[in-house]
Amino acid sequence: MARFTSLRAVLPAIFLFLFTAVASAAGGGQLPLFPHSPFEGTPFFWVSNSTIMVWMGALLIFLFCKAATSKMAIIPAGFQNFAEWLIESLYNFFGSVLGDHLVKRTFWFFGGTFLLILTVNYLALIPGVGTITYVDRDGGVQGLLRGGNADLNMTAAMSMTFAVLWFYWALTENGTKNFFAHIFAPKGDFKGLMLAGMVVVFFAVGVLELISIAIRPVALSFRLFGNIYGGEQTLGGLMALVPESLAFLPSLPFYFVELLVGLIQALVFTLLSAVFLKLICTHDDEHAH
Amino acid sequence: MVFSKAFAVALAALAGGIGISILGCKAAEATGRNPGAATPVLTISIILAALIEGIFILTAFAVNFD
């Protein structure tokens, strides 16, 4: 009987995949810039079609973890082995970027964001996801499922969360005095008159640093959104170029480009946020590892 | 007005393209010279490619907020 428990946990995940892939007719027009809510007018108007996709991604990750940990063994086998390999390689990768102390504190965010972005990107790429449509109140045909990251709200939410966490981690890691010293204090030792000059110069450098710190979440969210949304537009646009029966042909190569872009953008988003955190948290006595 | 918007985005795309191709060329050279350092070179080039593309994406969006 034990053998079936992991199967039972994985079954809903498989069903979820199949459900999104069931309607396989190609096609799907241009993706509107803003998501649309299938529950307009009801109190759930805030649930947009991209929110549904993100929840499905989150549910998939939850089921994956549950299936992987349903029957834990010292020598991991099958599902658990794959999950352990995945988490461990992510942990070591971020450890090499952040250093051992910092990665212990922050891996929950970076690993989780990476998996979520990757899952949501690949869920949106399942063929046929764009063809599950509903007719909204004023007669327009809208896609029920929309790529989670093809929606600026999702990417902005993630990068704003990172901005808040970055601030909290930087303050607690460095202490407030060091935090501001890290941005404004003159680096290198100067004496007398030179020091006064340097303080002014490095104050200006600090202001520039603040501006760049403020730009980062904006750049992170635009980059992820721009790439994924642009990719879906390309796929949709290419399908519209050729007659219906041949619609799959021009977008086939771009499909694999999108698979690669989905992985790279997930990696870029989390790697850049890890590097930004590392920039502010490096202490002068950091030994080269 | 519409021309200058398209021109700005086209310039940003051109700059992004050149930037990433130079980066790619140097990364390939670096990996060729020192294959042992392939992973660190890959990590750095992914970060820099993202920053370069970030400039293009920002321009593509900044152009619309007139």
Side-chain angles (χ1 to χ4, degrees):
Chain A
M1 182 49 197
R3 209 177 113 12
F4 290 112
T5 48
S6 74
L7 196 63
R8 204 155 34 77
V10 171
L11 219 52
I14 297 169
F15 170 72
L16 211 59
F17 254 102
L18 287 180
F19 168 70
T20 48
V22 78
S24 61
Q30 293 301 80
L31 193 67
L33 185 60
F34 298 108
H36 193 272
S37 169
F39 307 103
E40 245 165 341
T42 65
F44 291 104
F45 63 91
W46 48 273
V47 176
S48 71
N49 42 22
S50 54
T51 325
I52 297 170
M53 186 65 103
V54 169
W55 284 346
M56 282 166 72
L59 182 66
L60 213 58
I61 296 178
F62 168 71
L63 290 174
F64 169 78
C65 297
K66 224 168 92 62
T69 52
S70 59
K71 134 164 124 355
M72 299 275 275
I74 299 298
I75 304 114
F79 224 51
Q80 185 194 348
N81 193 9
F82 172 66
E84 272 188 21
W85 164 78
L86 181 69
I87 304 292
E88 219 168 299
S89 49
L90 269 176
Y91 188 88
N92 293 337
F93 177 66
F94 284 114
S96 68
V97 171
L98 287 166
D100 302 336
H101 165 65
L102 216 51
V103 78
K104 251 194 277 298
R105 276 193 75 181
T106 61
F107 179 68
W108 63 273
F109 176 73
F110 293 126
T113 323
F114 177 79
L115 283 179
L116 181 68
I117 297 177
L118 196 61
T119 322
V120 168
N121 278 349
Y122 281 176
L123 263 185
L125 279 181
I126 292 173
V129 156
T131 58
I132 304 167
T133 55
Y134 65 94
V135 181
D136 60 8
R137 279 185 317 177
D138 37 43
V141 173
Q142 299 281 357
L144 181 62
L145 296 171
R146 175 198 171 103
N149 290 321
D151 165 11
L152 194 54
N153 305 312
M154 168 69 178
T155 55
M158 283 194 291
S159 46
M160 291 311 157
T161 325
F162 165 66
V164 169
L165 283 175
W166 175 88
F167 197 69
Y168 167 69
W169 282 328
L171 276 183
T172 43
E173 279 293 315
N174 293 333
T176 42
K177 197 181 71 60
N178 278 349
F179 176 68
F180 290 106
H182 218 287
I183 298 177
F184 290 106
K187 303 193 172 54
D189 40 16
F190 304 101
K191 303 288 179 294
L193 190 60
M194 192 59 173
L195 183 62
M198 277 302 137
V199 163
V200 171
V201 164
F202 272 94
F203 181 73
V205 165
V207 170
L208 278 179
E209 181 84 11
L210 279 185
I211 294 170
S212 109
I213 289 169
I215 294 276
R216 284 175 191 160
V218 177
L220 277 174
S221 60
F222 275 171
R223 180 176 304 115
L224 181 55
F225 167 70
N227 278 293
I228 304 300
Y229 180 69
E232 294 209 4
Q233 285 286 70
T234 328
L235 287 179
L238 279 171
M239 282 186 210
L241 285 180
V242 284
E244 193 66 39
S245 56
L246 276 175
F248 71 92
L249 207 57
S251 57
L252 197 58
F254 282 91
Y255 209 85
F256 298 103
V257 166
E258 269 316 296
L259 281 178
L260 185 64
V261 163
L263 173 69
I264 287 192
Q265 283 309 317
L267 182 67
V268 155
F269 187 94
T270 31
L271 187 59
L272 271 180
S273 33
V275 163
F276 290 149
L277 184 62
K278 184 64 185 167
L279 282 178
I280 196 72
C281 289
T282 46
H283 310 295
D284 302 343
D285 49 30
E286 184 72 41
H287 56 276
H289 40 78
Chain B
M1 183 56 191
V2 179
F3 171 74
S4 66
K5 276 190 182 183
F7 192 68
V9 177
L11 270 183
L14 185 67
I18 294 175
I20 292 193
S21 47
I22 294 175
L23 171 73
C25 155
K26 293 301 174 193
E29 269 172 31
T31 321
R33 227 169 63 79
N34 177 3
T39 327
V41 166
L42 175 67
T43 316
I44 291 169
S45 45
I46 286 185
I47 295 176
L48 293 177
L51 291 179
I52 294 170
E53 222 177 274
I55 295 169
F56 164 65
I57 299 269
L58 282 177
T59 326
F61 279 97
V63 130
N64 295 327
F65 306 138
D66 43 16

